[in-house]
Amino acid sequence: MHKEEEVERFSRQIQSMFNAIAPRYDLLNRVLSCGVDQYWRKRAIRRLAWKPGGRYLDLACGTGDVALEYFERRDGCPGQVCALDFSEAMLRQAGVKFQNRRPPTLLPRFCAAAEALPFREKSFDGISVAFGARNFADREQALREMVRVLKPGGCAVILEFSLPREPLLREAYRAYFDRVLPRIGGWVSGHADAYTYLPESVGEFPERVEFAEMMRRAGFDRVRHRDMTFGIVTLYVGTQDA
């Protein structure tokens, strides 16, 4: 099978999976992370090179939780936040969330793949990705696209699950991920496969140094990363200096 066919097949599988779990996605995030996922998202947005009135892209936006965080900052509101995901069901949930906001807020939504962003070069002051990078069918191409649409001086923040460095904690975390999480996720969502895929995708995701190097190869400058919550999540930051 050619690479293009593999990428397309993988994308269809992931798209179908996220469409299926979209209605209970927020509930599962809160339950499975004990609410800490909200803290991770806030920290990520605070690391952006912020420009009040700027234009930002929330990539692999899911139900729009990160997109909402842009409007919760106390140092000025963005001019525009665009949300992109390849799951139409997730985008619908995000639209409802922004419509119910007081006051209702416009959220331009785009159903597309991260590997082929439907935006011109140098369109955004910043980009966020929260727990979506491991679902990209072609990670290096998606990263190149992010660099392409960032303005000079722009910044990207990427949150992704990781395995703790400390051996005992790593072992306990893997036991939770491999045995407990799929059962809870499958029971609440009704789609056990989705929460079997999660630990598998985390285990297959590049290690921190490897992913940071992948970002550099894609064209990001000043790439750095830091662990959060005992290393179960890593925050990657890269800039576009050209």
Side-chain angles (χ1 to χ4, degrees):
M1 184 180 294
H2 296 297
K3 181 179 179 180
E4 292 80 7
E5 294 174 336
E6 291 180 356
V7 166
E8 185 177 352
R9 179 178 58 83
F10 179 81
S11 293
R12 284 199 303 267
Q13 289 177 342
I14 301 302
Q15 184 181 46
S16 175
M17 182 180 72
F18 279 98
N19 280 337
I21 65 174
R24 296 193 175 182
Y25 185 72
D26 286 347
L27 171 63
L28 281 160
N29 280 345
R30 305 297 177 265
V31 170
L32 295 174
S33 74
C34 300
V36 187
D37 63 304
Q38 294 171 301
Y39 164 77
W40 295 330
R41 291 178 173 90
K42 289 179 186 294
R43 287 292 301 274
I45 294 303
R46 286 206 293 267
R47 292 298 299 273
L48 277 174
W50 187 244
K51 180 181 178 183
R55 189 173 187 230
Y56 293 87
L57 172 64
D58 186 27
L59 183 56
C61 69
T63 61
D65 276 355
V66 174
L68 281 171
E69 290 297 334
Y70 283 93
F71 295 92
E72 298 300 322
R73 291 187 62 130
R74 298 180 181 178
D75 50 356
C77 283
Q80 184 184 62
V81 175
C82 298
L84 183 143
D85 203 289
F86 61 3
S87 166
E88 293 182 356
M90 289 286 189
L91 288 169
R92 283 195 296 271
Q93 295 287 331
V96 170
K97 197 172 288 186
F98 269 72
Q99 196 171 32
N100 292 338
R101 191 173 182 267
R102 291 293 174 264
T105 305
L106 179 66
L107 179 69
R109 302 185 303 282
F110 301 85
C111 189
E115 294 84 358
L117 298 177
F119 307 110
R120 295 179 180 177
E121 292 183 7
K122 300 176 174 56
S123 296
F124 296 97
D125 296 288
I127 300 175
S128 54
V129 185
F131 309 111
R134 71 182 185 283
N135 301 321
F136 296 157
D138 187 336
R139 293 188 192 111
E140 296 211 36
Q141 173 59 19
L143 291 169
R144 287 192 292 268
E145 279 289 274
M146 292 168 66
V147 171
R148 181 182 67 82
V149 302
L150 266 178
K151 294 179 182 179
C155 177
V157 294
I158 301 174
L159 269 177
E160 195 48 84
F161 288 114
S162 50
L163 296 175
R165 300 174 191 267
E166 201 282 316
L168 288 177
L169 183 57
R170 189 183 184 103
E171 185 104 6
Y173 180 65
R174 284 310 302 256
Y176 169 74
F177 243 43
D178 293 341
R179 301 170 192 169
V180 180
L181 184 147
R183 293 182 181 181
I184 298 174
W187 176 64
V188 175
S189 70
H191 297 274
D193 288 349
Y195 289 89
T196 300
Y197 163 79
L198 176 56
E200 291 174 352
S201 66
V202 173
E204 293 170 0
F205 194 76
E207 288 286 345
R208 298 159 178 83
V209 173
E210 184 184 349
F211 186 69
E213 181 58 31
M214 189 181 294
M215 291 178 66
R216 292 187 187 95
R217 288 199 304 269
F220 280 106
D221 302 300
R222 291 186 287 158
V223 176
R224 60 262 193 211
H225 59 87
R226 63 177 298 175
D227 287 350
M228 295 193 293
T229 316
F230 309 110
I232 67 173
V233 166
T234 301
L235 175 61
Y236 301 86
V237 182
T239 60
Q240 161 63 296
D241 293 344

